[in-house]
Amino acid sequence: MRPLLIVGLIILALVLGKIFFFTDKNEAAGNAQAAGGNAAPSATPVNYVVASFSSEDQSIFSTGTVVPNEEVELKSEVNGRLIVLNLQEGNSVKKGQRIAKLQDDDLKAQLKKIAFEEVLAAQIEARQKKLLDIDAISKEEYEIA
């Protein structure tokens, strides 16, 4: 019984608070007019905009990043300075197509050195063969040379 009494008192306090403290002026005037009073109704302010036709550009400008569907990372098998790049960005590359050229001066010098060493080794082998033929050296020394 006591909780029911407390709930009833709270509801009564809210109703009385609404009536005496939180009444709207327009609502009070409307109640007075409905009761037969001479109070003038107040005008309600209205905001309005006149509709008109206008043409606007429907473009949207934005910043962003474009990411390709496919990409290839090129790595050289040897170190060197890139001197020629034989491809256009965005074009396809055929199998066997030369893509780039590296500076190869040091490789050419190594190739010449190896060619001279080969000639020298052939000359040493020929001399050792002549010495082996006249039994000036042993077969083991010839094979080592």
Side-chain angles (χ1 to χ4, degrees), residues 12-144:
L12 181 63
L14 290 173
V15 170
L16 290 174
K18 170 69 174 143
I19 291 172
F20 292 111
F21 297 112
F22 299 111
T23 56
D24 191 17
K25 293 178 184 177
N26 291 338
E27 185 179 316
N31 290 342
Q33 188 177 14
N38 291 337
S42 63
T44 305
V46 176
N47 295 331
Y48 65 93
V49 175
V50 177
S52 64
F53 177 75
S54 66
S55 63
E56 294 184 15
D57 190 14
Q58 297 287 332
S59 298
I60 298 174
F61 296 98
S62 177
T63 59
T65 303
V66 178
V67 180
N69 290 337
E70 297 176 14
E71 61 183 46
V72 176
E73 185 175 328
L74 297 176
K75 290 186 179 180
S76 176
E77 292 180 4
V78 294
N79 294 330
R81 184 172 157 223
L82 183 67
I83 57 173
V84 176
L85 187 63
N86 292 332
L87 59 95
Q88 294 291 329
E89 190 172 329
N91 288 350
S92 297
V93 179
K94 297 178 183 116
K95 182 177 180 181
Q97 178 182 348
R98 180 185 293 184
I99 297 174
K101 181 175 182 188
L102 299 176
Q103 187 174 14
D104 57 352
D105 294 341
D106 56 340
L107 295 174
K108 288 179 182 176
Q110 286 178 5
L111 184 63
K112 284 182 182 180
K113 178 184 172 191
I114 291 172
F116 287 131
E117 287 176 353
E118 184 180 9
V119 170
L120 180 63
Q123 289 174 354
I124 291 173
E125 191 270 333
R127 273 189 240 124
Q128 296 291 348
K129 176 82 170 152
K130 287 179 185 176
L131 291 173
L132 180 64
D133 289 342
I134 61 171
D135 291 329
I137 61 169
S138 68
K139 183 157 177 89
E140 181 181 353
E141 288 180 71
Y142 171 73
E143 289 175 357
I144 290 173

